[in-house]
Amino acid sequence: AETKILTELVKALGPGCAKPILELALEFPQSEAKLLQVVEAFIKKLQIEKAKHVGKENISAAAAEQMIVEQGAGWCTIPNQAFQTPRGTFTVEFLLDSSLILHGKKESFSVSRENIVEIVELLTADMYNPNKQKAQVLIILKEGLKVGKQCHTALLFTPSCTPKTKELTANVTKPSPSGEKVEGETITGVPLDVWKRLFSMASPNLVLVTPDQNIFKSDQ
C-alpha cells in the first residue's frame, strides 16, 4: 500500500515532497483503500496538476542580481537553509515585491509571490530520533520550478539554525513590504517561528497552514 501511495504522491509533488506527506498519513492506522482515498483528496485539494504547469528556467547568479535591481532590492536574507526540493543549501532572500530568490552555490532560482498557492507546515518524525518531530515547510506552486531536467510543483525545506548556534538569525536590512521595521536589523529565534514571522511581514496572505490531521484518520 505504501509503495502505491508513494507513487501517486511522487507523480503529483515530486520525490522530495512526497515522503513527508506519506509519513504524516501513516501516523494514523487505516486501510489501504482509505489511505489512497485520503491521498487523492489531498492532491485534489491542493489542485496540483503537474501536466498543466509551465516550467520556469533556473537563473544565473548575475540574472538573480539583476532581478533584485528590477523588482526592488531585497529586504531580508536567511542563510544556509536546507532544501529537500530542490536539493541543496540555499540562502533565501525576500524582495520588496514579496518574491523569493534562492541563492545556491552554482545557480539561483526565483519564486514570485503570484506563483505561491499555499504554504504548509509539516511535522514529521526525525529519522535520527524517532521520538522527536522535525518541522518542514512545503510551498505549493502554481507553476512548476524547472531545475535541470526536473520540474518541481512544490518546494520543501527544513527551517535550519544558523551554523554553530541553536537558533536562526535572519538579516533584515530594510523595512518589509508591510512597512514593519526590525530593531537591530536581525530576527533571532526558533527557525520555524522566524520563518512564520518573515512570511507574514512579506505579505499578510503568506500564512503557514497546518493540514487537518483528521483527514488522515480512518472512519472505519
Side-chain angles (χ1 to χ4, degrees), residues 6-155:
L6 188 58
T7 300
E8 293 300 314
L9 284 169
V10 167
K11 288 179 182 178
L13 297 171
C17 300
K19 189 176 179 182
I21 297 294
L22 178 60
E23 289 177 352
L24 185 61
L26 291 177
E27 289 181 9
F28 303 96
Q30 51 207 308
S31 67
E32 177 181 349
K34 177 63 178 177
L35 270 173
L36 284 171
Q37 181 183 346
V38 164
V39 169
E40 289 172 358
F42 183 82
I43 293 172
K44 185 176 181 180
K45 177 180 179 296
L46 293 177
Q47 296 180 336
I48 298 176
E49 301 177 17
K50 190 170 183 179
K52 296 182 180 179
H53 290 163
V54 179
K56 289 191 173 180
E57 297 287 347
N58 49 303
I59 58 177
S60 66
E65 293 300 325
Q66 181 61 30
M67 183 173 293
I68 291 173
V69 173
E70 293 175 353
Q71 298 183 348
W75 61 272
C76 174
T77 54
I78 309 99
N80 300 300
Q81 296 303 286
F83 276 72
Q84 287 72 54
T85 305
R87 184 167 295 279
T89 300
F90 294 88
T91 291
V92 182
E93 183 164 20
F94 281 86
L95 303 188
L96 288 173
D97 66 353
S98 300
S99 298
L100 300 177
I101 300 285
L102 277 59
H103 296 281
K105 292 182 179 179
K106 296 183 179 180
E107 54 192 359
S108 298
F109 307 95
S110 66
V111 181
S112 69
R113 168 64 188 91
E114 294 74 18
N115 198 27
I116 298 176
V117 176
E118 192 168 35
I119 305 175
V120 184
E121 175 187 341
L122 301 174
L123 293 176
T124 58
D126 191 321
M127 63 181 296
Y128 300 106
N129 186 353
N131 297 319
K132 182 180 178 182
Q133 285 191 316
K134 176 176 63 175
Q136 292 182 290
V137 175
L138 182 71
I139 302 177
I140 308 299
L141 303 178
K142 183 185 299 182
E143 295 183 351
L145 180 70
K146 191 172 182 180
V147 181
K149 295 182 179 180
Q150 292 186 312
C151 185
H152 300 293
T153 57
L155 308 179

